[in-house]
Amino acid sequence: MHRSLILCAALICGLAAFWLSQREPVAMAEALVPEPPPQAEVLVAAAQIGPGQPLDASLTRWQSWPVEALPTGVMTRDSAPDASAALQGHVARSSFVAGEPIRMDKLAGPGSGFLAAILPSGRRAVAVRISAENTAGGFILPDDHVDVIHSVSRAGPDGSSGGAVSRTILRNVRVLAIDQAVPEDGSQSPTALGKTATLELTPQQAEIIAAAELSGALSLALRAASDSGLAQVEPDEPQDETQPEPVAAPPKDRQILLIRSGQSEYLTSRIAGGGT
C-alpha cells in the first residue's frame, strides 16, 4: 500500500516537472516578444499627386503610423478626423508620392491658380521671350536653373556700330515653366520649342528683367544640375542692373609733345576710350 502511494506520488511529481519544463520556454518566449509601439492614423496620399493637382477624396487615405515616428506637420485622425473632406479642392504645391503624409505647407487653398499654387511665397512669376538661340538650343526645361544674360548693341563715337556688350544680370534662377509645360514626374524631355520661359524671381529681380527686355535682348544660360543648389548670387551693383557696362570707344591716335635736352618732338600713341 505504501509502495503504491510512493509510486503515485513520484509519477505525479514527474508529470508536474515535465509540464513545468515545457511551460518555461513558452513563458520566456512570450516575455521576449516586445509590445507593438502605439500607432496613429495619418492622412497620406493614396496615389501619385502632381503639382497643381486639386485634391479629392480618392487621392487621400488614412494609414497607421508609429506615434514616435510621426513627421512634423502631418494630420492624424485624432486631431483632424474630417481632414480628408476638408482638404478637397486644395491644390498641391509640389508632388506627393503614394503613401507620403499630407502636409499643409505643401498645399495651396482651394481655387488657387495652377502657377500661383506652385509659386513659393514672396516670389513672382515672370515670362521672357525665348528661342533656340537664347535657351541652350531648346534644352532648358521646367525646374532647371539658369543665368540670365543681357545683351545690348552700342554705337561707336562716329555713329557707326560699336559692337555689342553682354553681361550676366541674374544668376541661379529657377525655370517654372516653358510655355505652359511644368514639371510633374521628372520624366519630361525636349519636344516642341516653347516661345516663353516663366522664371521664379524676387520682386526686385522682376523689375530688373522687365527693364532689361526693353533695353536689349535676354538669353538664358543653363546651369549644371550640381550648381543649381548653390546660393543665388546677385551681380555687382544691383541698383544699376539694367544698364550694361559701357563699351570703350575704338582706339585712336594721340599726339604727345616730348621735350628732351632742349629739343621738342611729337610722339604718336594709340589709346583706348577716345581720350584727348
Side-chain angles (χ1 to χ4, degrees), residues 139-195:
F139 282 87
I140 293 177
L141 296 174
D143 229 13
D144 283 339
H145 285 68
V146 298
D147 292 345
V148 182
I149 300 173
H150 184 214
S151 300
V152 138
S153 297
R154 289 292 188 180
D158 56 354
S160 61
S161 175
V165 60
S166 299
R167 68 166 180 159
T168 300
I169 59 173
L170 296 175
R171 295 184 175 90
N172 202 13
V173 172
R174 178 189 173 204
V175 178
L176 291 173
I178 299 294
D179 281 353
Q180 294 182 348
V182 294
E184 291 188 4
D185 57 4
S187 61
Q188 48 197 342
S189 59
T191 53
L193 181 64
K195 295 181 179 180

Side-chain angles (χ1 to χ4, degrees), residues 70-86:
L70 282 178
T72 303
V74 301
M75 287 165 279
T76 64
R77 192 189 285 271
D78 291 338
S79 62
D82 300 326
S84 182

Side-chain angles (χ1 to χ4, degrees), residues 22-44:
Q22 296 298 314
R23 177 64 183 168
E24 184 177 355
V26 174
M28 292 179 62
E30 292 176 349
L32 291 175
V33 175
E35 294 185 1
Q39 302 282 314
E41 289 190 282
V42 175
L43 190 68
V44 302

Side-chain angles (χ1 to χ4, degrees), residues 203-231:
Q204 180 189 16
Q205 291 170 336
E207 295 171 358
I208 293 171
I209 288 291
E213 275 205 298
L214 293 176
S215 60
L218 297 180
S219 300
L220 305 183
L222 180 63
R223 295 175 68 97
S226 57
D227 293 339
S228 61
L230 299 177

Side-chain angles (χ1 to χ4, degrees), residues 57-71:
S58 66
L59 293 176
T60 60
R61 61 181 171 85
W62 295 103
Q63 177 175 303
S64 295
W65 205 284
V67 173
E68 61 183 12
L70 282 178

